[in-house]
Amino acid sequence: VNLTFHGIDTVAKIRLNGKLLGETDNMFVRYSYSVGHLLQYSPKRNQLEIEILSPLAEANARAAQLEDRGAGAPLSCPQSRGNVECHRNMLRKLQMSFGGEWNPAALSSGLWKPVTIEYYAVAILRDVDVAINRNDTHWTMDCRAFISTSDDENFYGQLVVYASELFEEPFVVPQKKLSYAHPKLEFQIHIPKEKVKLWWPNGYGRQVLYPVSFNLKTYRSEAGPGLSSRTDSQKLLNIGFRTIELVEDEDARGRTFYFRVNNHPIFMKGVNYVPAHTLPELSADSDRVQHLLKSAKDANMNMVRVWGGGLYESDTFYSLADSYGLLIWQDMTFTKATYPVTDELMASMRLEAAQNAQRLAYHASLAMIVTNNEIELYLVRNRSDFGSDAKRLEDEYKLLFLGNLSPELSIISRNDFKPRPGPMISTPSMGIAESGKELPKDPQSPNCGDVHFYEDDASVQIIYPEARFVSEFGYASLPMRSSWLRDLGQNATEESLAALIRQRQHDPKGFIPLLRQIAYELPFNLQNWEDNIDEFIYFSQVAQAMSTKKAVELFRSRGANYSTMGALIWQLNDVWVAPTWSSIDFYGNYKLVYFWAKEFFATTSILALYHEANNQINITITCEEFLDGQLTTYNLFINTFLWDDIYPKSSIARAISVGGSNSLDQLHIPLDSVLYEKKSKTEIFLEILLKDDDDKIVAQNYFYPVPIKNIVGIRDPELKVEVHRSDCASSKPYNNNFSLRITVKYPTLFVYLELVHEKYTEVRHTFSMNGFTQTVPRSIVTLEIDNDSECIKLTADNIRVKTMNQYMV
């Protein structure tokens, strides 16, 4: 009988019936104890006692001990304007719980994963790694079954695999004698190619998953198990068949850095993911996780980076990623600090690496594991500050990550093929091919590997890095008013709301980057945001959306010759209501950047960028669908509008052919050629449409030749909203979908819709689009409220509307 703790946060002593079972100090490790000899039988009761120690006191004590031995690590206090705690690198604990520039300090403690009693005769099947390979005729499932036992003698195992969609007869792994020290079974199953349909990332094809059941029997006698002994354990996995590579070919600049799935190069469009809740035990909430990952899928994303300051996510998370076609870039949970390398701690960290790798490896979505976030960058940038300790800290870094953790991940690698790229040692980095025994001089080199990009003023295109892969970049904004009021209460004053916004601003630079970002494009008074909070929220979200769109369009336009092949926005989600870089706020509400992402991440997109030196518009048509070399003909329309007329004044049409997947078709249009009569560029804007042969709009974009604040001639659109809905059903479940008919008389810039209702504002709801520019007299926006228990009534008064026009007339 085993008592297994799948996750204890973090430092604890465990006793059963007064006997010490063990001590824990790594929340990312599974601890299992044999307890059969300690259990008391009815009518006696068993008492399980878990003593949780203070993580802060333990971290401080460990730091002091290292200092006393002359092997101390630099003080690892998170950068933040808010309250933080130091010495996070002393504990194998959720690193963000010590605070940071976007999140609070919240030192959680307790049981964050289930505690189970496992009853078996000899051993149980713990995890199965299924590595996928193929040749010209067959797919191969290269399997490793990892087995747990508390025995101290060798035993026998037999395994049977069932997968009726892949092979008609069960696949039997014959009886084998297993070592109790490291018990595992290794075997291969070969499947004809015609039996298998490929798993593709989102946007490239279907996510076909095959259920495969692994059934293990273990027993001590070579003759087989006894009739009544508990010998069976099972694992049911959903397996996707795909190949994935990281291509780092030498070229004139350095090396490429792009992922190739099923022999197909793919531009990675996605986000960075942080735990769904500050408290780790709530981060696996299935409804919350599904909402976040489904949202990423619906926004045409194909990659999610699990950030190294967070967690190894739940099984639910990775299974959803499999089904949604979201490739996972998995950081290990080490970030931006040096870590002690005592023998005891390194043994725990090796176990952490092995256990989590074994659990995650079979997922089709797992693209790559990276052993840390920004530690090489941290060491290189702070080398002079470390002084005489610099070499020791770098040596300890190499010992831990190159000498211990990276080799430990070989447990899910293969000698004759690579199931997936990596492991990569750090991010940002020079990539895998350029990694060596010494730290790079510039981990942020744009010529190899990946970069993390943050710039206070990145609105001028020429300062964006021409990087191979941008694995982290982003811009901040504020959540909507209703989210703030859920924390404060609906009757909160403007003064209390302003105080909360200021208190939750943890960026060390304060509001300066955000206000500068707004000021570059928009007509907002920078001096008194406290007196105009609704406007501040609106302008911050518009600025975030505009800056992110410009960056993504630039990165995607560089896909030719694999110059730039990835853009991962920081960050998808949030752990509280605060001014942060998230696209979705803590309560699951979409910011404007999320709605825009559906367009700028669309499979077929129009990218429009202004080249100031040549006074021209560079238009790029992207088509990322897997078309197997087919040519598709579209009609491109460039419509010129004046701000005081709802109808276009002139139009240019061109027929273009886009060939194959990942193709780029580029046009260079002189700005003067699209001006109307003697109007200046301050008085016009462009609508760019891509239509198919049936005149259906395939892609749409708007191009504004000048910063929004410099527009001339914008009018009051006289916007009106009408709310319509079909009759409610006669009984539950009710379908609460509404159509909002929006009418305008003049072009209307950045229409922002917000549900205002004392009862339903806090219910999850979704507009079909938001933050949009309207250039037709009437448009329809759908509103879906996630409540089927009652028939909801809404009027136009329940829809708050803002437009940029109202601040410029």
Side-chain angles (χ1 to χ4, degrees), residues 761-772:
T761 298
E762 296 185 5
V763 178
R764 185 175 293 161
H765 57 275
T766 305
F767 294 99
S768 58
M769 59 181 181
N770 213 341
F772 55 93

Side-chain angles (χ1 to χ4, degrees), residues 478-639:
L478 276 70
M480 64 173 63
R481 168 179 278 267
S482 61
S483 294
W484 292 100
L485 295 184
R486 288 180 73 168
D487 283 9
L488 272 178
Q490 294 299 320
N491 297 321
T493 64
E494 291 300 285
E495 291 77 10
S496 63
L497 177 54
L500 182 62
I501 292 173
R502 284 194 300 268
Q503 184 263 329
R504 291 194 173 180
Q505 173 55 277
H506 279 202
D507 186 346
K509 299 172 184 175
F511 288 105
I512 292 174
L514 175 54
L515 292 171
R516 186 180 297 162
Q517 175 182 302
I518 293 171
Y520 182 83
E521 280 281 354
L522 304 175
F524 183 68
N525 187 336
L526 303 185
Q527 303 304 317
N528 59 342
W529 69 259
E530 294 94 338
D531 299 328
N532 299 279
I533 293 175
D534 283 343
E535 288 82 355
F536 188 30
I537 291 171
Y538 172 59
F539 277 81
S540 76
Q541 290 202 20
V542 170
Q544 179 191 34
M546 293 186 74
S547 298
T548 306
K549 175 178 182 287
K550 184 174 290 185
V552 168
E553 289 190 346
L554 184 62
F555 297 145
R556 290 187 74 185
S557 72
R558 293 171 174 168
N561 301 316
Y562 312 117
S563 181
T564 299
M565 286 296 287
L568 307 183
I569 299 168
W570 178 269
Q571 64 208 67
L572 177 66
N573 55 312
D574 225 327
V575 298
W576 66 340
V577 179
T580 73
W581 293 260
S582 70
S583 301
I584 304 174
D585 76 20
F586 174 66
Y587 291 113
N589 298 307
Y590 299 137
K591 295 181 179 179
L592 294 188
V593 68
Y594 173 80
F595 290 98
W596 287 34
K598 290 185 175 184
E599 300 298 327
F600 62 64
F601 274 153
T603 302
T604 301
S605 297
I606 302 167
L607 316 177
L609 298 160
Y610 180 52
H611 193 284
E612 188 171 8
N614 296 334
N615 193 34
Q616 69 183 23
I617 309 163
N618 294 334
I619 297 176
T620 304
I621 310 300
T622 69
C623 183
E624 295 172 347
E625 294 176 293
F626 185 53
L627 300 175
D628 201 20
Q630 302 174 36
L631 282 176
T632 304
T633 301
Y634 297 107
N635 295 309
L636 180 72
F637 297 88
I638 303 175
N639 300 322

